[in-house]
Amino acid sequence: MPFLEQLHHEILIGDGAIGTMLYAKGIPLDANFEHLNLVQPELVRELHRDYVAAGAQVIETNTFGANALKLGAIGIGHKVAAINRRGAELARDAAGVAAYVAGSVGPLPRLRGDERELSPESIATIFREQLRGLVDGGVDLFILETFSDLDHLQIAVTVAREFNLPIVASMAYLEGGRTASGADVATAVRVLTAAGADLLGVNCGAGPLEVIRTLEQLADLTDLPLSAYANSGFPEYVDGRSVYLTTPEYFAERSVEMAAAGAHLIGGCCGTTPAHIRQLHSRLHSLTPTARKARTAATPAPANRLPSTRQAGFLADWGKCPVVTVELDPPKGLDVSRVLAGSRALRDAGALAINLAENPLARVRMGNIALAHRIQQELGIDVIVHITCRDRNLLGLQSELMGASLLGIRHILAVTGDRPASVIKPTLRRSLTSTPLVCWHWLMA
């Protein structure tokens, strides 16, 4: 039965993580997992068979990062077609007639340093090469997964339409229902529906509970089938290894809630294993999708315009015009009038953002996160908040960043911070030699 038709009759079980399992089988993390399709094909085939034996009805090819950018960075860009074709053939051989084969396509690696931003045409060419290799290997459908850049995913879906196979378009949403690039669920539904996706999905992210919340939003916005591939929670670093501690039983319990939220295709992402999929199969096999009715129709994007998913901000025109930011220091006391006046003057003069230092030269000043919130609220100009690791441990840093997010701070410059000892004047340092030890400690703290 064709994939889309089967999907409307029963909830289908996907497979679990590939990288997690290859690592567990002894492949080092710095190896290129996709190249194993050519150099260790039996290992990859064995992994696919493990998932099929566990009850997976849809298995993904080992091709997540098999694109020209990622492979070219390690000198094997000329093998894109071969790696994708072989990846599809290995999965096809393992699946037999028991499972559908989904060609896995992940996001392009982020450009670094002075590398020029890729044009939409270049992005389309990169995806087309990978997708063609998967088609030549015999995939039944495409899973475009773990995207945070909606513009890139839109291009990938548009290119995938050329091959007349079902398309799952899945994004990695963070807590709060936005991707790392700022795209929200409603925008993703609108853009990906217009591009021609057959399923909309969520994968990776912060674990099963966040996936359920995102599914509920998706179900309210579209009547397209939905997919859900959650991580097995967050990894813990134990004895030099990253270990996912969520049990298969807990994962399967949450999968029942995913089905109730409207998911038609449910599998696992990072940290999930054949044991997780076996539990999924035992709980979900032969269940029919939950009936639902979209409350808000997803409307196509306006014609002749590429929808932008970037959050409005001082980087919106990056590469098109100069970006000017100016650094200010918070006040040493409680009066913020001069900083507000200076920020207003800079905004009116054309500055796109204000940099707020944090206790420069290791001298006490007003907290810059609260001040940044005040500037953004009153003046409507973005603020880049300097966050130093000098005065906080990891727990404190995480707590401060969460609070900054709550206040609408979206731009952070992480800096080490000046050490107090480095700014003590030599004359003062000499005078401290006769100071009691307790006072020296207070001054150096």
Side-chain angles (χ1 to χ4, degrees):
M1 184 181 296
F3 171 74
L4 291 178
E5 185 178 344
Q6 184 74 21
L7 200 67
H8 286 286
H9 287 84
E10 65 174 300
I11 292 175
L12 295 181
I13 310 301
D15 59 2
I18 290 181
T20 298
M21 292 305 300
L22 290 174
Y23 176 55
K25 291 177 180 291
I27 303 300
L29 289 176
D30 58 355
N32 183 270
F33 290 161
E34 292 82 6
H35 196 220
L36 296 174
N37 295 340
L38 300 182
V39 298
Q40 290 186 253
E42 284 303 321
L43 181 64
V44 177
R45 185 187 286 112
E46 177 188 11
L47 176 55
H48 290 318
R49 286 174 174 165
D50 289 344
Y51 278 124
V52 173
Q57 297 164 283
V58 179
I59 61 172
E60 297 187 37
T61 57
N62 177 37
T63 56
F64 177 80
N67 59 71
L69 280 186
K70 184 174 180 180
L71 298 181
I74 58 174
I76 56 174
H78 60 288
K79 296 184 179 181
V80 170
I83 288 174
N84 282 280
R85 183 177 62 252
R86 188 57 175 149
E89 290 170 349
L90 292 171
R92 179 84 277 157
D93 182 52
V97 297
Y100 299 98
V101 174
S104 173
V105 176
L108 302 182
R110 294 180 179 179
L111 301 178
R112 295 176 294 179
D114 296 329
E115 294 175 318
R116 297 181 62 183
E117 185 173 349
L118 294 170
S119 67
E121 294 76 18
S122 297
I123 295 169
T125 298
I126 292 170
F127 284 129
R128 186 175 290 110
E129 181 182 24
Q130 183 177 6
L131 292 164
R132 168 55 65 189
L134 292 169
V135 171
D136 290 344
V139 298
D140 299 304
L141 66 142
F142 299 123
I143 290 188
L144 315 176
E145 57 183 341
T146 325
F147 280 73
S148 63
D149 190 314
L150 183 51
D151 291 339
H152 282 203
L153 182 53
Q154 180 193 27
I155 293 171
V157 171
T158 301
V159 173
R161 285 255 61 90
E162 299 171 6
F163 298 97
N164 296 315
L165 290 177
I167 302 167
V168 181
S170 182
M171 303 200 76
Y173 294 94
L174 305 176
E175 293 173 289
R178 285 185 179 270
T179 70
S181 66
D184 58 54
V185 176
T187 304
V189 168
R190 175 176 57 81
V191 171
L192 298 175
T193 300
D198 296 294
L199 282 81
L200 301 181
V202 53
N203 76 288
C204 203
L209 291 179
E210 285 301 321
V211 166
I212 293 167
R213 294 189 181 103
T214 304
L215 279 172
E216 290 170 346
Q217 293 184 61
L218 286 167
D220 282 345
L221 294 166
T222 180
D223 57 0
L224 288 177
L226 304 178
S227 72
Y229 282 69
N231 283 350
S232 181
F234 282 113
E236 300 284 344
Y237 196 67
V238 180
D239 295 331
R241 298 185 65 177
S242 294
V243 179
Y244 290 84
L245 302 180
T246 298
T247 66
E249 292 76 17
Y250 173 83
F251 189 83
E253 289 175 7
R254 299 287 77 78
S255 73
V256 175
E257 297 178 45
M258 296 177 199
H264 295 65
L265 171 61
I266 302 176
C269 203
C270 303
T272 55
T273 69
H276 292 78
I277 303 309
R278 191 171 293 109
Q279 288 293 325
L280 280 187
H281 184 269
S282 68
R283 299 295 297 271
L284 300 178
H285 182 56
S286 296
L287 291 183
T288 56
T290 300
R292 72 180 197 274
K293 182 178 180 180
R295 289 193 283 270
T296 303
T299 57
N304 303 320
R305 186 174 69 86
L306 182 66
S308 174
T309 64
R310 312 288 188 193
Q311 281 185 297
F314 76 99
L315 293 177
D317 293 323
W318 177 265
K320 301 176 184 177
C321 62
V323 176
V324 178
T325 72
V326 181
E327 181 172 327
L328 296 178
D329 292 338
K332 295 179 181 178
L334 301 178
D335 184 5
V336 299
S337 58
R338 291 185 62 188
V339 175
L340 291 175
S343 299
R344 182 179 293 104
L346 291 167
R347 179 201 65 187
D348 295 343
L352 298 181
I354 301 296
N355 273 277
L356 273 187
E358 182 180 36
N359 295 333
L361 299 179
R363 302 297 172 86
V364 175
R365 290 179 179 268
M366 177 179 287
N368 60 353
I369 293 177
L371 180 57
H373 174 66
R374 178 82 176 270
I375 293 172
Q376 289 190 165
Q377 288 291 101
E378 291 194 14
L379 304 179
I381 184 171
D382 285 339
V383 179
I384 305 167
V385 173
H386 296 202
I387 296 290
T388 68
C389 58
R390 172 192 58 210
D391 306 319
R392 307 173 178 88
N393 59 20
L394 180 60
L395 180 66
L397 281 170
Q398 292 173 331
S399 179
E400 289 277 35
L401 291 172
M402 291 168 67
S405 177
L406 178 65
L407 293 175
I409 306 300
R410 294 291 180 264
H411 309 292
I412 299 293
L413 176 61
V415 295
T416 303
D418 300 311
R419 293 179 61 246
S422 68
V423 298
I424 297 179
K425 295 180 179 179
T427 53
L428 178 58
R429 191 184 300 278
R430 286 194 297 271
S431 70
L432 287 172
T433 56
S434 59
T435 304
L437 187 59
V438 65
C439 294
W440 172 262
H441 282 180
W442 177 80
L443 287 166
M444 294 292 291

Tab-separated table of all heavy atoms in Angstrom, residues 20 43 53 62 142 165 207 245 263 335 427 431 444:
chain	number	residue	atom	x	y	z
A	20	THR	N	23.507	7.587	17.558
A	20	THR	CA	23.621	7.021	18.904
A	20	THR	C	24.023	5.558	18.843
A	20	THR	O	24.898	5.099	19.601
A	20	THR	CB	22.284	7.162	19.653
A	20	THR	OG1	21.965	8.547	19.798
A	20	THR	CG2	22.355	6.512	21.032
A	43	LEU	N	27.730	-2.953	8.837
A	43	LEU	CA	27.382	-2.353	10.128
A	43	LEU	C	26.099	-1.544	10.010
A	43	LEU	O	25.208	-1.625	10.871
A	43	LEU	CB	28.531	-1.475	10.620
A	43	LEU	CG	28.337	-0.786	11.970
A	43	LEU	CD1	28.216	-1.808	13.091
A	43	LEU	CD2	29.500	0.177	12.249
A	53	ALA	N	13.434	-5.367	13.124
A	53	ALA	CA	13.088	-6.444	14.051
A	53	ALA	C	12.377	-5.918	15.286
A	53	ALA	O	11.553	-6.615	15.893
A	53	ALA	CB	14.346	-7.203	14.454
A	62	ASN	N	20.922	6.193	6.392
A	62	ASN	CA	22.050	6.790	7.108
A	62	ASN	C	22.682	7.870	6.228
A	62	ASN	O	23.818	7.762	5.770
A	62	ASN	CB	23.079	5.699	7.445
A	62	ASN	CG	24.312	6.265	8.131
A	62	ASN	OD1	24.212	7.182	8.939
A	62	ASN	ND2	25.480	5.734	7.794
A	142	PHE	N	10.768	10.970	1.512
A	142	PHE	CA	11.840	11.794	2.082
A	142	PHE	C	11.451	12.243	3.481
A	142	PHE	O	10.287	12.597	3.722
A	142	PHE	CB	12.089	13.043	1.240
A	142	PHE	CG	12.514	12.786	-0.176
A	142	PHE	CD1	11.780	13.315	-1.229
A	142	PHE	CD2	13.644	12.040	-0.465
A	142	PHE	CE1	12.156	13.093	-2.539
A	142	PHE	CE2	14.041	11.816	-1.774
A	142	PHE	CZ	13.293	12.341	-2.812
A	165	LEU	N	7.709	12.091	-4.660
A	165	LEU	CA	7.643	11.179	-3.519
A	165	LEU	C	7.071	11.937	-2.323
A	165	LEU	O	7.191	13.166	-2.229
A	165	LEU	CB	9.036	10.639	-3.169
A	165	LEU	CG	9.674	9.664	-4.161
A	165	LEU	CD1	11.076	9.294	-3.692
A	165	LEU	CD2	8.822	8.408	-4.316
A	207	GLY	N	12.994	16.931	24.198
A	207	GLY	CA	12.456	15.711	24.775
A	207	GLY	C	10.979	15.521	24.485
A	207	GLY	O	10.320	16.373	23.863
A	245	LEU	N	19.146	8.987	29.619
A	245	LEU	CA	18.636	8.212	30.747
A	245	LEU	C	17.138	7.936	30.691
A	245	LEU	O	16.617	7.199	31.524
A	245	LEU	CB	18.975	8.939	32.058
A	245	LEU	CG	20.481	9.194	32.299
A	245	LEU	CD1	20.687	9.924	33.613
A	245	LEU	CD2	21.257	7.896	32.278
A	263	ALA	N	-0.351	12.832	16.085
A	263	ALA	CA	0.743	12.306	15.267
A	263	ALA	C	0.321	11.043	14.524
A	263	ALA	O	-0.314	10.158	15.089
A	263	ALA	CB	1.956	12.011	16.144
A	335	ASP	N	20.830	55.842	38.646
A	335	ASP	CA	20.264	56.776	37.677
A	335	ASP	C	20.587	56.311	36.259
A	335	ASP	O	21.755	56.258	35.853
A	335	ASP	CB	20.856	58.169	37.912
A	335	ASP	CG	20.244	59.223	36.994
A	335	ASP	OD1	19.304	58.877	36.246
A	335	ASP	OD2	20.709	60.379	37.017
A	427	THR	N	50.423	51.434	42.205
A	427	THR	CA	50.574	52.146	43.472
A	427	THR	C	49.647	51.562	44.529
A	427	THR	O	50.012	51.425	45.693
A	427	THR	CB	50.257	53.635	43.287
A	427	THR	OG1	48.970	53.747	42.675
A	427	THR	CG2	51.285	54.290	42.376
A	431	SER	N	50.493	49.501	48.084
A	431	SER	CA	49.932	49.878	49.379
A	431	SER	C	49.220	48.721	50.048
A	431	SER	O	49.009	48.729	51.258
A	431	SER	CB	48.958	51.050	49.197
A	431	SER	OG	47.799	50.613	48.525
A	444	MET	N	40.082	41.581	46.128
A	444	MET	CA	40.348	40.743	44.974
A	444	MET	C	39.137	39.925	44.564
A	444	MET	O	39.132	39.326	43.513
A	444	MET	CB	41.514	39.773	45.277
A	444	MET	CG	42.841	40.471	45.488
A	444	MET	SD	43.437	41.222	43.951
A	444	MET	CE	43.822	39.774	42.995
